[in-house]
mmCIF file of all heavy atoms in Angstrom:
data_model
loop_
_atom_site.group_PDB
_atom_site.id
_atom_site.type_symbol
_atom_site.label_atom_id
_atom_site.label_comp_id
_atom_site.label_asym_id
_atom_site.label_seq_id
_atom_site.Cartn_x
_atom_site.Cartn_y
_atom_site.Cartn_z
ATOM 1 N N GLU A 1 98.485 72.385 88.981
ATOM 2 C CA GLU A 1 97.306 72.210 88.129
ATOM 3 C C GLU A 1 96.570 73.530 87.928
ATOM 4 O O GLU A 1 96.044 73.796 86.838
ATOM 5 C CB GLU A 1 96.376 71.175 88.750
ATOM 6 C CG GLU A 1 95.219 70.774 87.855
ATOM 7 C CD GLU A 1 94.387 69.652 88.437
ATOM 8 O OE1 GLU A 1 94.492 69.399 89.658
ATOM 9 O OE2 GLU A 1 93.641 69.014 87.675
ATOM 10 N N ALA A 2 96.571 74.375 88.965
ATOM 11 C CA ALA A 2 95.861 75.654 88.874
ATOM 12 C C ALA A 2 96.544 76.628 87.916
ATOM 13 O O ALA A 2 95.913 77.578 87.429
ATOM 14 C CB ALA A 2 95.745 76.284 90.261
ATOM 15 N N THR A 3 97.832 76.435 87.631
ATOM 16 C CA THR A 3 98.541 77.342 86.722
ATOM 17 C C THR A 3 98.312 77.005 85.253
ATOM 18 O O THR A 3 98.697 77.776 84.375
ATOM 19 C CB THR A 3 100.063 77.298 86.978
ATOM 20 O OG1 THR A 3 100.571 75.997 86.639
ATOM 21 C CG2 THR A 3 100.379 77.609 88.420
ATOM 22 N N ILE A 4 97.703 75.849 84.981
ATOM 23 C CA ILE A 4 97.529 75.408 83.601
ATOM 24 C C ILE A 4 96.295 76.069 82.996
ATOM 25 O O ILE A 4 95.198 76.009 83.555
ATOM 26 C CB ILE A 4 97.417 73.876 83.536
ATOM 27 C CG1 ILE A 4 98.720 73.256 84.062
ATOM 28 C CG2 ILE A 4 97.137 73.411 82.115
ATOM 29 C CD1 ILE A 4 98.688 71.754 84.145
ATOM 30 N N ASN A 5 96.485 76.712 81.848
ATOM 31 C CA ASN A 5 95.407 77.444 81.198
ATOM 32 C C ASN A 5 94.413 76.504 80.532
ATOM 33 O O ASN A 5 94.760 75.397 80.098
ATOM 34 C CB ASN A 5 95.976 78.388 80.133
ATOM 35 C CG ASN A 5 96.820 79.487 80.738
ATOM 36 O OD1 ASN A 5 96.299 80.522 81.137
ATOM 37 N ND2 ASN A 5 98.125 79.264 80.800
ATOM 38 N N LYS A 6 93.181 76.958 80.431
ATOM 39 C CA LYS A 6 92.144 76.282 79.659
ATOM 40 C C LYS A 6 92.100 76.894 78.257
ATOM 41 O O LYS A 6 92.526 78.042 78.065
ATOM 42 C CB LYS A 6 90.793 76.414 80.353
ATOM 43 C CG LYS A 6 90.747 75.754 81.728
ATOM 44 C CD LYS A 6 89.398 75.969 82.376
ATOM 45 C CE LYS A 6 89.292 75.219 83.703
ATOM 46 N NZ LYS A 6 90.338 75.656 84.662
ATOM 47 N N PRO A 7 91.597 76.162 77.276
ATOM 48 C CA PRO A 7 91.541 76.715 75.908
ATOM 49 C C PRO A 7 90.851 78.072 75.833
ATOM 50 O O PRO A 7 91.293 78.952 75.079
ATOM 51 C CB PRO A 7 90.767 75.637 75.142
ATOM 52 C CG PRO A 7 91.074 74.367 75.871
ATOM 53 C CD PRO A 7 91.154 74.758 77.326
ATOM 54 N N ASP A 8 89.786 78.266 76.603
ATOM 55 C CA ASP A 8 89.089 79.553 76.571
ATOM 56 C C ASP A 8 89.968 80.683 77.102
ATOM 57 O O ASP A 8 89.779 81.847 76.723
ATOM 58 C CB ASP A 8 87.796 79.479 77.392
ATOM 59 C CG ASP A 8 86.732 78.617 76.719
ATOM 60 O OD1 ASP A 8 86.883 78.341 75.504
ATOM 61 O OD2 ASP A 8 85.773 78.208 77.401
ATOM 62 N N ASP A 9 90.916 80.360 77.977
ATOM 63 C CA ASP A 9 91.776 81.392 78.558
ATOM 64 C C ASP A 9 92.668 82.045 77.505
ATOM 65 O O ASP A 9 93.039 83.216 77.631
ATOM 66 C CB ASP A 9 92.658 80.804 79.663
ATOM 67 C CG ASP A 9 91.856 80.288 80.842
ATOM 68 O OD1 ASP A 9 90.731 80.779 81.041
ATOM 69 O OD2 ASP A 9 92.353 79.397 81.563
ATOM 70 N N VAL A 10 93.040 81.284 76.471
ATOM 71 C CA VAL A 10 93.953 81.820 75.455
ATOM 72 C C VAL A 10 93.227 82.165 74.161
ATOM 73 O O VAL A 10 93.861 82.391 73.130
ATOM 74 C CB VAL A 10 95.089 80.814 75.170
ATOM 75 C CG1 VAL A 10 95.927 80.596 76.420
ATOM 76 C CG2 VAL A 10 94.532 79.479 74.668
ATOM 77 N N ALA A 11 91.901 82.200 74.209
ATOM 78 C CA ALA A 11 91.111 82.474 73.004
ATOM 79 C C ALA A 11 91.024 83.960 72.693
ATOM 80 O O ALA A 11 90.609 84.339 71.599
ATOM 81 C CB ALA A 11 89.701 81.897 73.160
ATOM 82 N N SER A 12 91.412 84.815 73.639
ATOM 83 C CA SER A 12 91.373 86.262 73.426
ATOM 84 C C SER A 12 92.791 86.822 73.486
ATOM 85 O O SER A 12 93.681 86.212 74.093
ATOM 86 C CB SER A 12 90.507 86.938 74.505
ATOM 87 O OG SER A 12 91.124 86.806 75.787
ATOM 88 N N PRO A 13 93.030 87.988 72.883
ATOM 89 C CA PRO A 13 94.373 88.577 72.931
ATOM 90 C C PRO A 13 94.883 88.811 74.347
ATOM 91 O O PRO A 13 96.035 88.493 74.665
ATOM 92 C CB PRO A 13 94.203 89.897 72.174
ATOM 93 C CG PRO A 13 93.057 89.658 71.241
ATOM 94 C CD PRO A 13 92.132 88.749 72.001
ATOM 95 N N MET A 14 94.035 89.332 75.227
ATOM 96 C CA MET A 14 94.466 89.586 76.602
ATOM 97 C C MET A 14 94.722 88.277 77.344
ATOM 98 O O MET A 14 95.653 88.174 78.146
ATOM 99 C CB MET A 14 93.411 90.419 77.340
ATOM 100 C CG MET A 14 93.346 91.869 76.879
ATOM 101 S SD MET A 14 94.954 92.710 76.999
ATOM 102 C CE MET A 14 95.243 92.580 78.773
ATOM 103 N N GLY A 15 93.886 87.258 77.053
ATOM 104 C CA GLY A 15 94.100 85.968 77.695
ATOM 105 C C GLY A 15 95.414 85.337 77.275
ATOM 106 O O GLY A 15 96.148 84.773 78.093
ATOM 107 N N MET A 16 95.729 85.426 75.978
ATOM 108 C CA MET A 16 96.998 84.890 75.494
ATOM 109 C C MET A 16 98.171 85.666 76.088
ATOM 110 O O MET A 16 99.196 85.072 76.476
ATOM 111 C CB MET A 16 97.034 84.944 73.970
ATOM 112 C CG MET A 16 98.352 84.475 73.362
ATOM 113 S SD MET A 16 98.742 82.736 73.740
ATOM 114 C CE MET A 16 97.631 81.913 72.593
ATOM 115 N N LYS A 17 98.051 86.972 76.171
ATOM 116 C CA LYS A 17 99.117 87.791 76.749
ATOM 117 C C LYS A 17 99.384 87.385 78.195
ATOM 118 O O LYS A 17 100.540 87.262 78.623
ATOM 119 C CB LYS A 17 98.732 89.271 76.674
ATOM 120 C CG LYS A 17 99.798 90.207 77.214
ATOM 121 C CD LYS A 17 99.362 91.669 77.061
ATOM 122 C CE LYS A 17 100.429 92.613 77.615
ATOM 123 N NZ LYS A 17 100.026 94.043 77.452
ATOM 124 N N GLU A 18 98.318 87.160 78.948
ATOM 125 C CA GLU A 18 98.480 86.759 80.347
ATOM 126 C C GLU A 18 99.080 85.355 80.451
ATOM 127 O O GLU A 18 99.913 85.087 81.316
ATOM 128 C CB GLU A 18 97.127 86.802 81.063
ATOM 129 C CG GLU A 18 97.231 86.485 82.543
ATOM 130 C CD GLU A 18 95.907 86.646 83.265
ATOM 131 O OE1 GLU A 18 94.958 87.189 82.656
ATOM 132 O OE2 GLU A 18 95.829 86.228 84.437
ATOM 133 N N ALA A 19 98.660 84.452 79.559
ATOM 134 C CA ALA A 19 99.202 83.092 79.575
ATOM 135 C C ALA A 19 100.699 83.105 79.285
ATOM 136 O O ALA A 19 101.478 82.354 79.893
ATOM 137 C CB ALA A 19 98.473 82.225 78.560
ATOM 138 N N ILE A 20 101.140 83.951 78.353
ATOM 139 C CA ILE A 20 102.568 84.078 78.054
ATOM 140 C C ILE A 20 103.320 84.619 79.263
ATOM 141 O O ILE A 20 104.396 84.135 79.623
ATOM 142 C CB ILE A 20 102.774 84.982 76.823
ATOM 143 C CG1 ILE A 20 102.240 84.287 75.564
ATOM 144 C CG2 ILE A 20 104.247 85.344 76.652
ATOM 145 C CD1 ILE A 20 102.235 85.173 74.334
ATOM 146 N N ALA A 21 102.735 85.622 79.908
ATOM 147 C CA ALA A 21 103.386 86.229 81.076
ATOM 148 C C ALA A 21 103.537 85.246 82.220
ATOM 149 O O ALA A 21 104.491 85.334 83.007
ATOM 150 C CB ALA A 21 102.591 87.451 81.531
ATOM 151 N N LYS A 22 102.612 84.295 82.344
ATOM 152 C CA LYS A 22 102.631 83.336 83.457
ATOM 153 C C LYS A 22 103.189 81.975 83.044
ATOM 154 O O LYS A 22 103.051 80.997 83.773
ATOM 155 C CB LYS A 22 101.204 83.150 83.994
ATOM 156 C CG LYS A 22 100.556 84.434 84.513
ATOM 157 C CD LYS A 22 101.340 85.054 85.654
ATOM 158 C CE LYS A 22 100.613 86.288 86.205
ATOM 159 N NZ LYS A 22 101.384 86.910 87.312
ATOM 160 N N SER A 23 103.856 81.914 81.887
ATOM 161 C CA SER A 23 104.370 80.632 81.388
ATOM 162 C C SER A 23 105.613 80.155 82.116
ATOM 163 O O SER A 23 106.071 79.037 81.899
ATOM 164 C CB SER A 23 104.685 80.762 79.897
ATOM 165 O OG SER A 23 105.750 81.686 79.700
ATOM 166 N N GLY A 24 106.175 80.994 82.957
ATOM 167 C CA GLY A 24 107.423 80.667 83.654
ATOM 168 C C GLY A 24 108.614 81.370 83.074
ATOM 169 O O GLY A 24 109.631 81.554 83.738
ATOM 170 N N SER A 25 108.512 81.809 81.819
ATOM 171 C CA SER A 25 109.641 82.450 81.153
ATOM 172 C C SER A 25 109.991 83.806 81.739
ATOM 173 O O SER A 25 111.119 84.281 81.588
ATOM 174 C CB SER A 25 109.330 82.613 79.656
ATOM 175 O OG SER A 25 109.130 81.356 79.041
ATOM 176 N N PHE A 26 109.034 84.439 82.421
ATOM 177 C CA PHE A 26 109.251 85.798 82.907
ATOM 178 C C PHE A 26 109.132 85.885 84.429
ATOM 179 O O PHE A 26 108.937 86.971 84.973
ATOM 180 C CB PHE A 26 108.248 86.749 82.245
ATOM 181 C CG PHE A 26 108.241 86.646 80.749
ATOM 182 C CD1 PHE A 26 107.302 85.859 80.098
ATOM 183 C CD2 PHE A 26 109.193 87.296 79.987
ATOM 184 C CE1 PHE A 26 107.300 85.744 78.714
ATOM 185 C CE2 PHE A 26 109.195 87.187 78.605
ATOM 186 C CZ PHE A 26 108.249 86.408 77.969
ATOM 187 N N LEU A 27 109.259 84.760 85.126
ATOM 188 C CA LEU A 27 109.070 84.750 86.581
ATOM 189 C C LEU A 27 110.023 85.713 87.274
ATOM 190 O O LEU A 27 109.606 86.592 88.033
ATOM 191 C CB LEU A 27 109.268 83.330 87.126
ATOM 192 C CG LEU A 27 109.290 83.214 88.655
ATOM 193 C CD1 LEU A 27 107.959 83.647 89.256
ATOM 194 C CD2 LEU A 27 109.635 81.785 89.078
ATOM 195 N N GLU A 28 111.322 85.540 87.026
ATOM 196 C CA GLU A 28 112.307 86.372 87.730
ATOM 197 C C GLU A 28 112.175 87.846 87.347
ATOM 198 O O GLU A 28 112.315 88.734 88.195
ATOM 199 C CB GLU A 28 113.725 85.872 87.427
ATOM 200 C CG GLU A 28 114.069 84.527 88.059
ATOM 201 C CD GLU A 28 113.500 83.334 87.296
ATOM 202 O OE1 GLU A 28 112.905 83.546 86.217
ATOM 203 O OE2 GLU A 28 113.657 82.204 87.765
ATOM 204 N N ALA A 29 111.870 88.119 86.068
ATOM 205 C CA ALA A 29 111.709 89.510 85.637
ATOM 206 C C ALA A 29 110.508 90.155 86.329
ATOM 207 O O ALA A 29 110.572 91.306 86.764
ATOM 208 C CB ALA A 29 111.539 89.565 84.115
ATOM 209 N N ASN A 30 109.421 89.399 86.457
ATOM 210 C CA ASN A 30 108.237 89.930 87.131
ATOM 211 C C ASN A 30 108.502 90.176 88.612
ATOM 212 O O ASN A 30 108.064 91.185 89.178
ATOM 213 C CB ASN A 30 107.051 88.975 86.966
ATOM 214 C CG ASN A 30 106.561 88.914 85.529
ATOM 215 O OD1 ASN A 30 106.737 89.850 84.766
ATOM 216 N ND2 ASN A 30 105.941 87.805 85.158
ATOM 217 N N LEU A 31 109.230 89.275 89.260
ATOM 218 C CA LEU A 31 109.550 89.456 90.670
ATOM 219 C C LEU A 31 110.469 90.651 90.879
ATOM 220 O O LEU A 31 110.342 91.392 91.855
ATOM 221 C CB LEU A 31 110.206 88.192 91.230
ATOM 222 C CG LEU A 31 109.309 86.951 91.327
ATOM 223 C CD1 LEU A 31 110.120 85.757 91.826
ATOM 224 C CD2 LEU A 31 108.123 87.211 92.257
ATOM 225 N N ALA A 32 111.410 90.854 89.952
ATOM 226 C CA ALA A 32 112.357 91.960 90.087
ATOM 227 C C ALA A 32 111.673 93.310 89.919
ATOM 228 O O ALA A 32 112.099 94.308 90.507
ATOM 229 C CB ALA A 32 113.480 91.809 89.065
ATOM 230 N N GLN A 33 110.599 93.344 89.124
ATOM 231 C CA GLN A 33 109.905 94.606 88.866
ATOM 232 C C GLN A 33 108.858 94.928 89.917
ATOM 233 O O GLN A 33 108.405 96.058 90.016
ATOM 234 C CB GLN A 33 109.242 94.560 87.488
ATOM 235 C CG GLN A 33 110.241 94.506 86.340
ATOM 236 C CD GLN A 33 109.564 94.314 84.992
ATOM 237 O OE1 GLN A 33 108.331 94.244 84.923
ATOM 238 N NE2 GLN A 33 110.361 94.224 83.938
ATOM 239 N N ALA A 34 108.479 93.932 90.723
ATOM 240 C CA ALA A 34 107.431 94.151 91.725
ATOM 241 C C ALA A 34 107.964 95.018 92.869
ATOM 242 O O ALA A 34 109.128 94.937 93.247
ATOM 243 C CB ALA A 34 106.943 92.811 92.266
ATOM 244 N N ASP A 35 107.089 95.875 93.411
ATOM 245 C CA ASP A 35 107.478 96.720 94.547
ATOM 246 C C ASP A 35 107.790 95.873 95.776
ATOM 247 O O ASP A 35 108.744 96.142 96.499
ATOM 248 C CB ASP A 35 106.356 97.709 94.868
ATOM 249 C CG ASP A 35 106.142 98.700 93.727
ATOM 250 O OD1 ASP A 35 107.115 98.970 92.995
ATOM 251 O OD2 ASP A 35 105.013 99.183 93.582
ATOM 252 N N GLU A 36 106.970 94.851 96.009
ATOM 253 C CA GLU A 36 107.181 93.930 97.116
ATOM 254 C C GLU A 36 107.141 92.517 96.556
ATOM 255 O O GLU A 36 106.076 91.896 96.489
ATOM 256 C CB GLU A 36 106.110 94.113 98.192
ATOM 257 C CG GLU A 36 106.124 95.497 98.839
ATOM 258 C CD GLU A 36 105.070 95.623 99.920
ATOM 259 O OE1 GLU A 36 104.356 94.621 100.166
ATOM 260 O OE2 GLU A 36 104.946 96.703 100.517
ATOM 261 N N PRO A 37 108.310 91.997 96.136
ATOM 262 C CA PRO A 37 108.329 90.671 95.496
ATOM 263 C C PRO A 37 107.722 89.591 96.368
ATOM 264 O O PRO A 37 108.060 89.440 97.537
ATOM 265 C CB PRO A 37 109.829 90.421 95.282
ATOM 266 C CG PRO A 37 110.436 91.791 95.247
ATOM 267 C CD PRO A 37 109.632 92.601 96.216
ATOM 268 N N THR A 38 106.790 88.859 95.807
ATOM 269 C CA THR A 38 106.182 87.711 96.486
ATOM 270 C C THR A 38 106.107 86.572 95.483
ATOM 271 O O THR A 38 106.050 86.803 94.270
ATOM 272 C CB THR A 38 104.762 88.042 96.988
ATOM 273 O OG1 THR A 38 103.975 88.480 95.881
ATOM 274 C CG2 THR A 38 104.806 89.131 98.041
ATOM 275 N N PRO A 39 106.108 85.330 95.960
ATOM 276 C CA PRO A 39 106.017 84.203 95.022
ATOM 277 C C PRO A 39 104.781 84.309 94.144
ATOM 278 O O PRO A 39 103.693 84.604 94.617
ATOM 279 C CB PRO A 39 105.942 82.985 95.956
ATOM 280 C CG PRO A 39 106.609 83.440 97.212
ATOM 281 C CD PRO A 39 106.248 84.901 97.347
ATOM 282 N N ALA A 40 104.956 84.100 92.848
ATOM 283 C CA ALA A 40 103.833 84.185 91.905
ATOM 284 C C ALA A 40 103.081 82.870 91.913
ATOM 285 O O ALA A 40 103.517 81.891 91.335
ATOM 286 C CB ALA A 40 104.349 84.513 90.513
ATOM 287 N N ALA A 41 101.937 82.837 92.566
ATOM 288 C CA ALA A 41 101.199 81.588 92.758
ATOM 289 C C ALA A 41 100.674 81.027 91.452
ATOM 290 O O ALA A 41 100.473 79.824 91.326
ATOM 291 C CB ALA A 41 100.042 81.820 93.733
ATOM 292 N N ASP A 42 100.416 81.908 90.472
ATOM 293 C CA ASP A 42 99.845 81.429 89.215
ATOM 294 C C ASP A 42 100.883 81.331 88.109
ATOM 295 O O ASP A 42 100.529 81.221 86.938
ATOM 296 C CB ASP A 42 98.694 82.344 88.774
ATOM 297 C CG ASP A 42 99.119 83.808 88.700
ATOM 298 O OD1 ASP A 42 100.229 84.128 89.148
ATOM 299 O OD2 ASP A 42 98.336 84.621 88.183
ATOM 300 N N ASP A 43 102.160 81.363 88.438
ATOM 301 C CA ASP A 43 103.224 81.225 87.449
ATOM 302 C C ASP A 43 103.650 79.762 87.360
ATOM 303 O O ASP A 43 103.859 79.091 88.376
ATOM 304 C CB ASP A 43 104.415 82.101 87.840
ATOM 305 C CG ASP A 43 105.510 82.070 86.790
ATOM 306 O OD1 ASP A 43 106.353 81.139 86.823
ATOM 307 O OD2 ASP A 43 105.529 82.953 85.930
#
């Protein structure tokens, strides 16, 4: 439930960009690029 965006979260360009990044589509790519991969709690 905490990963689900509110309408205000996607009302700005940066908010939409972050919502896309945390949509699940880029989970493995984000983990692979991290210096110390940890589970993405907000993905």
